[in-house]
């Protein structure tokens, strides 16, 4: 930088009072040059930094009577998308006809349009013969013509037209001193404009020479003025190297360790942050790491390319809103936003006066909102929020009228009303999920949420919120179009979630982070370049799929060839290094975690290693000898400390004095030690239990069910979690685009259909017949399906029809089977319940005492010979059932328990129930029946099983199941630790003879 600063100072001294304009590619370059200039103690009067676009705009605004409305990039992409859609619908596209019109394709076409127009091509001058086919040329012409017409109709000016207009007014001003940045990146029109603007005498700032490598070729305005070489100018010409450079190379296992090693080097050097800069080759890999570390360690960092908007709460909120809409407003998706603290209903609900209740002061916490919404069967869809909340208000209101002094109920009603109006207001703006959606309405809805319900907690959040709202406002006037929901979501993501915020020049007191492409004019003495593996640098040479290099050659006019981008990237890095006069450190990551493979350094790293060591013949294998630790040498966060301890060869032991300060850790260590032993302990289900409370023989208030007893037999530990500790999984109605009813709801619906059908036949005193009753059972089914549809809306018509057809098919199977079966049986009771609501429980008498039982029997039939037959409908798989097994080690007890229960509850004699049947009247079950004869032997065995199972409760001996198949559909897997135990350890812990006595019964 010294030669550049000296030259700029010479010009400022020579032309001290004249206006001096430094023409740069970007303002960030101008800021860096100015910062270096000031750092050297230089001063100048009337020195300005301007881009070519800025010069052109100033000229047009001074000379034109009309306001210049410049085309924003996001609007240009939107125009291009609309143009492509229209041309495709009009069948005017042929070469691109097979392409799906997506945001990414629109970006590519828009980029091509800008490139062509800046190369001075329009519909009048386009070289059609430059394209590989005439069909492609015709498509490009059509798109270009539509684009130009769109600009004209809306009186918008793109950069190409701005430059063309500026050239009309341009005059050489010999009173202004023009100074050019070396290696200006100029389009054809920009160069033509500058050629007209610049006086014959103008100047160029020099750059340190880059020797031994290809340098960019350019016209006189775009060329590079070389200064004297620095030590690192000879990196690719080391035979002629002069001077010493402070250059070092290191490698790390991961990008995270690479960044931590850089921070460690800055710390060791005790270098001020604002004298250091980190340049990366890939923002995707390094920006996230640096941002996360800066937040944890409170490191002030400026980002040259900015940060993804998704790092902020508003950005994640927009992403969450899109997921919420895509899930058809699933409650679960909404709660994910509130749980993360992104979406706050807060006090933003309009002032509400609702009948008896004044809701002005209502303000629900996110935790309370989550609890209420989880307990209500909303599921998804805008309509369901309003309907379910409205019905709940009506239901609670009726109760409150009878108990107006119930303050808790009054408060709960207020909460429900508050939520009702909250969502009512939100859904005025957010569009319903439909196959076709309006893009503008989607953006308006998101804008409303950002303004009213977005929580911001940092400067980054505020910047992101402003940037998102600004981008939405730009595009809204041009976004009123309908498209598929998928297209609408993709366009919103493309418009909003790709935004970069918080771009900044290097600031005092801050570590600066940016792309190496922006580092040529850096003036900081400590330079770190990370990410120099051959996967990230110099990058794959690839062509623009829209405007090929062969076409660019034919078109000429300064069009860059993308196959040369690798060489350009290498030059940019070498120029950065040559310009650096302080400490330079380059590094690379040597392992790809996602692919689980080693990766190699880029060739430039080998050149740096050769330069650093003086060994000009060094090969890549020598780079492999560089140290590469598995953990950070310095401790930046807690995991660095623990990672070092994990791989340390020394046996670590936490002292008792430390453990006393962390009682939870101490208790956890004790639990883990006990679990790993062969002893059955309280951590595995052996507990001191209050038998008087939990043993149903001792507690007359305790009621069991067949399901609970089957759970106890299958896995006592699961029973312990559910019935003793009262652990319950969070039950959420999740939106699934491919499914309407879950297994339990579908089963309940089929049960209701069969019950209603048989009750109808009882009233008509007739037997089931396919010929006479098929339409009747279908009518009943459709009526109950419609009621279920009111309760839970299907995700779409296709899924709805598929599941309805399946239910109707089950009805037909049921009817055919019942027609045959009813020749010998008459149905007596349907959905017969005991121990539920105000019904007395059934009592089963065991040798050790009485047990109260609750349950619902699907059907009780009576045979011609006067015996009873219990039917239990099953709507799932027949996998666990067999023709011969009666109890399956205690896992199937319902048939036996219900037989005893119904005999006692109806006052029937012992043995009145002759048979119990598990009946599968479904398409999957194919009307299979698994019958269990309730003979004396089965009853004797069944009573013994119940005795042993209830003794498990009495003794508090809740061991884990002895068969991992029982865990397959368990809903408590996240709580249970069975899969952590070895097979041998489990066998030693499972010593309960009572449970083993149950398992012997097949």
């Amino acid at each position: 930088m010294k030669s550049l600063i000296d030259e700029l100072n010479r010009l400022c001294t020579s032309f001290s009072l004249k206006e001096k304009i430094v023409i740069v590619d970007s303002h960030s370059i101008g800021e860096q040059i100015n910062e270096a200039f000031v750092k050297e103690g230089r001063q100048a009067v009337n020195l300005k930094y301007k881009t070519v676009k800025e010069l052109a705009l100033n000229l047009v605004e001074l000379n034109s009577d009309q306001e210049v409305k410049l085309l924003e990039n996001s609007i240009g992409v939107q125009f291009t998308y609309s143009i492509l859609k229209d041309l495709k619908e009009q069948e005017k596209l042929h070469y691109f006809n097979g392409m799906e019109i997506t945001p990414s394709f629109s970006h590519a076409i828009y980029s091509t349009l800008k490139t062509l127009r800046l190369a001075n091509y329009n519909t009048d001058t386009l070289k059609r013969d430059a394209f590989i086919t005439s069909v492609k040329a015709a498509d490009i012409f059509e798109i270009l013509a539509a684009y130009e017409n769109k600009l004209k109709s809306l009186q918008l000016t793109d950069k190409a037209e701005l430059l063309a207009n500026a050239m009309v007014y341009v005059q050489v001003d010999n009173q202004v001193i023009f100074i050019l940045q070396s290696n200006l990146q100029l389009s054809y029109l920009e160069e033509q404009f500058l050629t007209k603007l610049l006086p014959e005498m103008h100047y160029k700032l020099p750059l340190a020479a880059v020797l031994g490598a290809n340098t960019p070729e350019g016209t006189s305005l775009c060329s590079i003025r070389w200064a004297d070489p620095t030590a690192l100018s000879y990196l690719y010409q080391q035979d002629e190297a002069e001077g010493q450079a402070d250059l070092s190379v290191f490698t790390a296992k991961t990008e995270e360790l690479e960044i931590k090693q850089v921070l460690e080097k800055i710390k060791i050097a005790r270098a001020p942050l604002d004298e250091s800069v980190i340049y990366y080759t890939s923002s995707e890999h390094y920006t996230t790491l640096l941002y996360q570390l800066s937040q944890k360690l409170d490191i002030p960092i400026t980002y040259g390319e900015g940060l993804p908007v998704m790092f902020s709460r508003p950005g994640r909120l927009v992403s969450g809103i899109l997921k919420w809409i895509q899930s058809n407003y699933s409650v679960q998706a909404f709660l994910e936003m509130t749980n993360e603290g992104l979406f706050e209903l807060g006090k933003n609900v309009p002032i509400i006066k609702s009948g008896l209740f004044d809701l002005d002061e209502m303000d629900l916490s996110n935790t309370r909102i989550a609890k209420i919404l989880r307990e209500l069967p909303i599921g998804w869809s805008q309509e369901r929020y309003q309907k379910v909340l409205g019905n709940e208000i009506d239901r609670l209101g009726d109760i409150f009228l009878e108990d107006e002094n119930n303050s808790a109920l009054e408060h709960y009603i207020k909460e429900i009303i508050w939520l009702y109006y909250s969502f009512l207001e939100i859904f005025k703006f957010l569009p319903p999920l439909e196959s076709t959606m309006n893009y503008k309405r989607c953006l308006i809805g998101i804008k409303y949420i950002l303004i009213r319900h977005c929580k911001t907690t940092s400067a980054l959040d505020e910047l992101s919120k402003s940037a998102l709202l600004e981008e939405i406002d730009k595009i809204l006037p041009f976004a009123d179009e309908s498209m598929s929901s998928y297209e609408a979501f993709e366009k919103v993501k493309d418009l909003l979630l790709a935004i970069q915020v918080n771009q900044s020049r290097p600031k005092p007191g801050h570590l600066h982070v940016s792309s190496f492409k922006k580092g040529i004019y850096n003036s900081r003495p400590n330079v770190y370049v990370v990410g120099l593996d051959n996967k990230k640098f110099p990058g794959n040479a690839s062509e623009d799929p829209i405007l090929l290099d062969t076409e660019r050659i034919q078109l000429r006019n300064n069009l860059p060839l993308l196959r040369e981008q690798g060489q350009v990237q290498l030059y940019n890095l070498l120029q950065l290094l040559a310009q650096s006069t302080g400490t330079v450190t380059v590094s690379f990551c040597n392992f790809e975690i996602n692919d689980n493979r080693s990766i190699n350094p880029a060739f430039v790293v080998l050149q740096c290693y050769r330069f650093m060591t003086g060994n000009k013949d060094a090969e890549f294998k020598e780079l492999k000898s560089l140290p590469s630790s598995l953990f950070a040498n310095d401790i930046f966060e807690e995991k660095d400390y623990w990672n070092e301890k994990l791989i340390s060869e020394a046996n670590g032991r936490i002292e008792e004095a430390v453990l006393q300060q962390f009682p939870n850790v101490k208790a956890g260590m004790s639990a883990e030690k006990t679990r790993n032993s062969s002893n059955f302990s309280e951590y595995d289900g052996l507990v001191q239990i209050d038998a008087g409370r939990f043993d149903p023989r001792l507690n007359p208030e305790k009621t069991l069910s067949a399901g609970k007893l089957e759970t106890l037999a299958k896995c006592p530990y699961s029973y312990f979690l559910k019935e003793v500790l009262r652990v319950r999984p969070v039950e959420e109605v999740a939106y699934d685009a491919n499914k309407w009813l879950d297994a339990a709801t579908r089963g309940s619906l089929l049960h209701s259909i069969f019950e209603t059908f048989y009750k109808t036949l009882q009233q008509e005193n007739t037997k089931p017949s396919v010929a006479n009753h098929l339409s009747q059972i279908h009518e009943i089914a459709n009526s109950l399906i419609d009621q279920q549809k009111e309760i839970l809306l299907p995700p779409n018509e296709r899924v709805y029809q598929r599941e309805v057809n399946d239910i109707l098919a089950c009805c037909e199977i049921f009817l055919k089977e019942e027609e045959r079966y009813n020749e010998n049986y008459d149905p007596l009771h349907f959905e017969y319940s005991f121990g539920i609501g105000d019904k007395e429980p059934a009592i089963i008498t065991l040798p050790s005492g009485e047990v109260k039982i609750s349950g619902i029997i699907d059907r009780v039939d009576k045979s011609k010979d006067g015996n009873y037959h219990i039917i239990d409908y099953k709507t799932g798989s027949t996998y666990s059932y067999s023709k011969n097994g009666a109890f399956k080690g205690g896992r199937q007890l319902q048939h036996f328990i219900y037989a005893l229960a119904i005999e006692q509850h109806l006052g029937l004699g012992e043995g009145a129930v002759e048979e119990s049947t598990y009946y599968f009247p479904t398409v999957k079950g194919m009307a299979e029946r698994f019958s269990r004869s309730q003979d004396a032997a089965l009853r004797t065995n069944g009573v013994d099983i119940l005795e042993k199972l209830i003794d498990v409760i009495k003794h508090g001996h809740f061991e884990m199941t002895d068969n991992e198949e029982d865990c397959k559909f368990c809903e408590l897997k996240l709580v249970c630790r069975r899969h952590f135990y070895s097979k041998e350890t489990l066998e030693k812990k499972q010593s309960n003879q009572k449970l083993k006595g149950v398992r012997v019964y097949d």
Side-chain angles (χ1 to χ4, degrees):
M1 285 290 285
K2 186 176 184 307
S3 298
L4 185 150
I5 300 305
D6 288 345
E7 174 64 8
L8 184 57
N9 184 60
R10 184 187 70 79
L11 294 172
C12 291
T13 304
S14 301
F15 306 102
S16 56
L17 298 179
K18 285 194 172 184
E19 182 180 8
K20 297 168 284 294
I21 296 177
V22 181
I23 300 176
V24 291
D25 282 328
S26 66
H27 284 290
S28 65
I29 289 176
E31 288 171 347
Q32 288 183 70
I33 293 173
N34 195 59
E35 180 183 1
F37 188 72
V38 173
K39 268 186 183 179
E40 289 293 319
R42 313 294 189 179
Q43 294 181 351
V45 177
N46 221 358
L47 176 65
K48 302 171 184 175
Y49 298 88
K50 292 190 177 182
T51 63
V52 177
K53 180 181 177 181
E54 194 174 10
L55 290 168
L57 181 60
N58 291 342
L59 198 58
V60 172
E61 287 179 337
L62 282 172
N63 291 279
S64 175
D65 295 332
Q66 295 183 341
E67 179 189 359
V68 180
K69 293 191 293 183
L70 290 178
L71 176 69
E72 298 277 355
N73 271 336
S74 55
I75 298 173
V77 174
Q78 170 66 17
F79 285 170
T80 307
Y81 180 87
S82 301
I83 287 167
L84 292 171
K85 291 278 285 186
D86 291 343
L87 291 175
K88 188 169 183 178
E89 288 173 4
Q90 296 166 17
E91 298 184 350
K92 290 184 177 181
L93 294 180
H94 302 284
Y95 183 82
F96 295 117
N97 186 52
M99 292 294 297
E100 183 182 356
I101 311 303
T102 62
S104 59
F105 182 57
S106 303
H107 273 285
I109 292 292
Y110 177 59
S111 177
T112 298
L113 294 175
K114 289 195 298 181
T115 300
L116 289 172
R117 283 178 58 80
L118 285 170
N120 200 29
Y121 288 114
N122 52 43
T123 48
D124 295 327
T125 60
L126 186 66
K127 294 181 181 178
R128 297 201 186 193
D129 57 354
F131 295 91
I132 55 172
T133 68
S134 59
V135 180
K136 181 178 181 180
D139 276 11
I140 294 291
F141 179 85
E142 288 286 351
I143 297 168
L144 188 56
Y147 174 79
E148 290 174 357
N149 288 335
K150 180 73 77 172
L151 292 181
K152 186 176 180 180
S153 65
L154 295 169
Q155 296 183 329
L156 289 171
T157 303
D158 66 358
K159 187 176 179 181
E161 187 176 352
L162 175 68
L163 291 164
N165 292 341
M167 278 190 268
V168 174
Y169 304 113
V170 71
Q171 291 181 351
V172 175
D173 187 349
N174 289 305
Q175 297 305 308
V176 177
I177 304 302
F178 287 98
I179 307 166
L180 306 185
Q181 159 203 328
S182 277
N183 196 31
L184 272 172
Q185 303 299 301
L186 300 176
S187 66
Y188 179 83
L189 282 179
E190 287 174 317
E191 186 164 357
Q192 294 299 306
F193 169 70
L194 281 185
T195 300
K196 281 193 168 189
L197 175 71
L198 295 176
E200 185 175 346
M201 181 59 70
H202 55 269
Y203 306 89
K204 185 170 290 187
L205 297 176
L207 292 173
V210 173
L211 307 173
N214 291 330
T215 54
E217 295 181 7
T219 59
S220 61
L221 292 180
C222 299
S223 63
I224 303 170
R225 177 186 170 189
W226 296 122
D228 294 335
T230 63
L232 286 177
S233 293
Y234 296 94
L235 199 60
Y236 270 57
Q237 196 169 302
Q238 296 185 17
D239 291 337
E240 302 175 16
E242 297 178 1
Q244 294 294 318
D246 190 354
L247 175 66
S248 61
V249 177
F250 76 86
T251 183
K253 275 286 182 287
T254 65
E255 285 93 351
E256 180 182 349
L257 291 174
E258 191 179 358
I259 290 298
K260 286 181 176 178
Q261 199 160 335
V262 168
L263 295 177
E264 180 188 351
K265 289 179 180 294
I266 295 173
K267 180 179 175 182
I268 291 172
R270 304 179 71 85
L273 289 178
D274 54 9
E275 290 185 5
S276 301
V277 59
I278 300 175
Y279 291 116
Y280 51 72
T281 57
S282 168
S283 62
E284 176 188 355
H285 291 84
Y286 293 98
T287 305
T288 302
L289 290 169
L290 283 159
Y291 177 73
Q292 290 172 344
L293 282 171
S294 72
Q295 296 301 296
K296 289 179 182 177
L297 305 176
D298 197 23
I299 302 173
I301 296 181
T302 49
Y303 300 89
E305 292 188 311
L307 295 167
V309 74
M310 284 292 287
F311 283 9
S312 69
R313 287 173 180 268
R316 296 197 300 278
L317 175 60
V318 171
S319 177
I321 294 168
L322 291 175
K323 289 178 183 176
W324 191 32
I325 301 173
Q326 284 178 289
S327 70
N328 198 8
Y329 296 98
S330 159
V331 167
Q332 185 176 351
F334 176 76
L335 294 181
E336 285 175 5
M337 290 189 288
T338 58
N339 290 341
E340 196 180 342
L342 305 177
F343 195 120
E344 285 204 327
L345 289 178
K347 295 182 179 178
N348 289 312
V349 184
I351 295 174
I352 303 164
K353 303 282 186 186
S354 176
L356 301 173
F357 307 114
D358 183 354
L359 305 180
D360 290 359
E361 301 302 318
M362 287 299 298
D363 181 20
L364 273 65
S365 69
N366 286 342
T367 303
R368 182 59 183 160
I369 291 168
K371 187 175 188 305
I372 293 172
L373 293 180
R374 280 198 174 106
E375 290 174 350
L376 294 174
I378 294 173
W380 57 83
S381 89
Q382 291 186 353
E383 295 85 353
R384 294 283 306 151
Y385 284 82
Q386 303 307 303
K387 183 169 186 175
V388 173
L389 289 168
N391 290 344
E392 186 71 355
I393 292 168
D394 293 340
R395 185 184 73 82
L396 295 172
D398 292 339
I399 298 172
F400 183 72
L401 289 175
E402 299 175 3
D403 187 11
E404 293 188 2
N405 295 322
N406 190 332
S407 59
L409 178 61
E410 178 182 352
H411 185 73
Y412 182 57
I413 295 172
K414 287 182 178 181
E415 291 176 329
I416 300 295
I417 295 173
W418 186 85
L419 281 174
Y420 176 87
Y421 283 104
S422 295
F423 285 109
L424 184 67
E425 185 72 13
I426 288 168
F427 292 143
K428 285 179 184 177
F429 296 90
L430 285 175
L433 178 65
E434 296 172 338
S435 57
T436 301
M437 300 180 72
N438 184 274
Y439 181 39
K440 184 174 184 177
R441 186 171 177 193
C442 289
L443 292 174
I444 289 173
I446 291 170
K447 178 181 177 180
Y448 169 80
I449 298 296
L450 283 171
I451 292 172
R452 296 293 298 272
H453 300 286
C454 177
K455 180 178 181 180
T456 57
T457 59
S458 66
L460 179 64
D461 288 347
E462 291 294 341
L463 284 170
S464 299
K465 181 177 177 179
S466 298
L468 288 164
L469 291 172
E470 183 180 337
E471 202 67 18
I472 291 172
D473 286 338
K474 280 182 195 174
I475 209 74
L476 276 179
F478 314 102
D480 195 7
E481 56 183 334
S482 294
M483 58 191 68
S484 72
S485 58
Y486 173 80
E487 288 177 299
F489 297 139
E490 289 302 303
K491 280 181 67 63
V492 173
K493 289 177 188 175
D494 179 69
L495 176 71
L496 300 180
L497 300 188
I499 291 174
Q500 295 284 117
V501 295
N502 205 28
Q503 292 96 332
S504 173
R505 63 176 179 81
K507 290 182 180 178
H510 290 67
L511 174 66
H512 189 62
V513 174
S514 191
S515 167
F516 74 96
K517 301 171 190 175
K518 298 179 178 291
I520 291 176
Y521 294 95
N522 161 66
S523 60
R524 295 192 171 189
N526 302 304
V527 175
Y528 298 88
V529 185
V530 297
L532 287 174
D533 60 76
N534 64 0
K535 190 174 179 182
K536 303 186 190 78
F537 183 85
N540 296 323
S542 59
E543 288 202 71
D544 179 349
I546 306 298
L547 196 58
L548 304 174
D549 278 355
T550 54
E551 296 167 334
R552 290 169 181 260
I553 291 170
Q554 293 295 319
L555 290 164
R556 297 190 293 275
N557 287 13
N558 288 11
L559 289 176
L561 302 182
L562 299 194
R563 66 191 180 200
E564 297 175 356
Q565 284 305 298
Q567 293 180 7
V568 172
Q569 303 279 59
L570 177 60
Y571 160 75
N572 286 334
L573 178 62
L574 294 179
Q575 186 69 77
L576 183 159
L577 297 176
Q579 287 283 100
S580 303
T581 55
T583 300
V584 176
T585 305
V586 299
S587 62
F588 66 97
C589 168
N590 59 44
F591 192 79
E592 174 56 62
I593 293 177
N594 293 331
D595 296 337
N596 193 31
R597 66 178 182 86
S598 298
I599 48 178
N600 296 315
F603 183 74
V604 69
V605 176
L606 179 60
Q607 288 296 100
C608 289
Y609 181 80
R610 289 170 174 171
F611 193 93
M612 176 184 76
T613 60
N615 180 6
K616 299 172 186 175
D617 299 319
E619 297 296 336
F620 280 106
K621 62 182 180 181
E622 295 179 50
L623 289 174
K624 293 182 179 179
S625 65
L626 291 172
S628 177
S629 177
L630 291 170
F631 58 88
N633 296 322
D634 205 340
I635 296 173
F636 291 97
E637 48 187 334
E638 286 185 12
K639 72 176 182 180
D640 295 330
Y641 173 82
W642 293 112
N643 285 343
E644 190 274 332
K645 295 298 180 188
L646 284 172
I647 66 172
S648 173
E649 294 182 1
N651 291 325
R653 184 176 179 275
I654 302 177
E655 298 295 332
E656 181 63 26
V658 176
L659 288 176
Q660 292 299 331
Q661 303 302 315
F662 299 95
N664 289 340
V665 174
K666 184 177 181 180
M669 291 173 65
S670 174
E672 196 68 17
K673 182 179 179 181
T674 308
R675 285 192 183 103
N676 290 330
S677 72
S678 59
N679 296 326
F680 184 45
S681 70
E682 64 268 30
Y683 301 109
D684 314 304
L686 179 62
V687 297
Q688 296 294 323
I689 197 165
D690 181 0
R693 177 184 173 191
F694 290 99
D695 187 335
R697 297 167 299 189
L698 303 177
N699 181 4
E701 303 298 321
K702 182 72 175 176
T703 302
L704 293 180
S705 67
K708 291 177 182 178
L709 286 164
E710 286 178 342
T711 297
L712 180 62
K714 181 169 69 174
C715 178
Y717 190 70
S718 177
Y719 178 92
F720 169 67
L721 292 175
K722 292 178 180 178
E723 305 304 325
V724 179
L725 297 185
R726 311 296 294 175
V727 175
R728 292 287 184 272
V730 174
E731 294 184 9
E732 293 178 320
V733 183
Y735 176 78
D736 186 340
N738 298 308
K739 190 175 183 180
W740 176 32
L741 303 177
D742 60 35
T745 307
R746 179 178 175 275
S748 296
L749 178 58
L750 285 170
H751 278 62
S752 297
I753 293 169
F754 301 155
E755 177 192 4
T756 305
F757 173 68
Y758 253 121
K759 284 183 175 178
T760 304
L761 293 190
Q762 268 191 333
Q763 293 172 359
E764 297 172 357
N765 195 25
T766 185
K767 295 267 187 181
S769 162
V770 174
N772 298 328
H773 300 120
L774 182 59
S775 60
Q776 186 175 16
I777 195 171
H778 279 180
E779 185 178 334
I780 291 169
N782 284 320
S783 174
L784 292 173
I785 288 169
D786 287 343
Q787 292 178 28
Q788 184 61 47
K789 190 177 180 181
E790 287 293 309
I791 297 171
L792 190 65
L793 200 67
N796 53 63
E797 187 62 25
R798 175 182 58 81
V799 169
Y800 173 69
Q801 285 301 329
R802 185 187 69 209
E803 297 195 23
V804 167
N805 291 338
D806 179 75
I807 291 169
L808 295 179
C810 292
C811 292
E812 191 168 346
I813 289 171
F814 174 78
L815 185 56
K816 287 178 180 178
E817 181 66 13
E818 291 304 306
E819 182 177 19
R820 181 181 66 80
Y821 175 82
N822 253 264
E823 294 175 1
N824 301 312
Y825 292 89
D826 292 316
L828 293 183
H829 302 285
F830 308 98
E831 301 294 318
Y832 185 88
S833 63
F834 41 89
I836 296 174
D838 57 358
K839 301 288 183 66
E840 286 294 320
I843 297 175
I844 293 179
T845 303
L846 302 176
S848 59
E850 293 182 343
V851 177
K852 290 182 178 179
I853 299 293
S854 64
I856 301 175
I857 300 175
D858 294 337
R859 202 168 96 210
V860 182
D861 291 356
K862 191 173 185 180
S863 65
K864 300 296 184 185
D865 57 10
N867 291 314
Y868 290 84
H869 186 188
I870 291 173
I871 303 289
D872 186 57
Y873 301 133
K874 297 292 182 185
T875 54
S877 169
T878 62
Y879 174 75
S880 300
Y881 297 84
S882 64
K883 294 293 184 182
N884 300 321
F887 295 109
K888 201 182 178 186
R891 295 173 179 85
Q892 292 176 7
L893 297 172
Q894 183 175 290
H895 61 90
F896 162 69
I897 291 172
Y898 280 0
L900 297 184
I902 198 73
E903 288 174 354
Q904 186 275 329
H905 211 256
L906 288 177
L908 306 175
E910 184 178 341
V913 176
E914 179 184 44
E915 191 176 54
S916 297
T917 296
Y918 297 112
Y919 175 30
F920 292 79
T922 61
V923 175
K924 185 187 291 185
M926 293 300 293
E928 281 268 23
R929 290 177 185 267
F930 298 93
S931 297
R932 310 291 186 236
S933 177
Q934 301 297 311
D935 55 29
L938 182 139
R939 291 179 183 236
T940 299
N941 294 338
V943 168
D944 187 46
I945 290 172
L946 293 184
E947 281 279 0
K948 288 182 168 64
L949 287 177
I950 295 173
D951 279 348
V952 168
I953 300 174
K954 176 183 177 181
H955 298 297
H957 204 120
F958 300 103
E959 67 187 43
M960 297 174 184
T961 178
D962 53 355
N963 187 342
E964 63 182 357
E965 285 293 311
D966 293 331
C967 304
K968 186 175 290 185
F969 301 108
C970 180
E971 56 189 2
L972 297 172
K973 285 182 181 179
L974 293 176
V975 181
C976 174
R977 291 169 54 95
R978 186 185 189 281
H979 56 288
F980 286 104
Y981 293 93
S982 67
K983 182 179 179 181
E984 294 75 16
T985 302
L986 273 174
E987 287 177 352
K988 291 175 182 177
K989 290 177 182 289
Q990 291 166 338
S991 58
N992 186 349
Q993 296 303 316
K994 297 290 185 184
L995 188 61
K996 289 183 178 179
V998 171
R999 288 287 184 260
V1000 300
Y1001 293 105
D1002 189 17

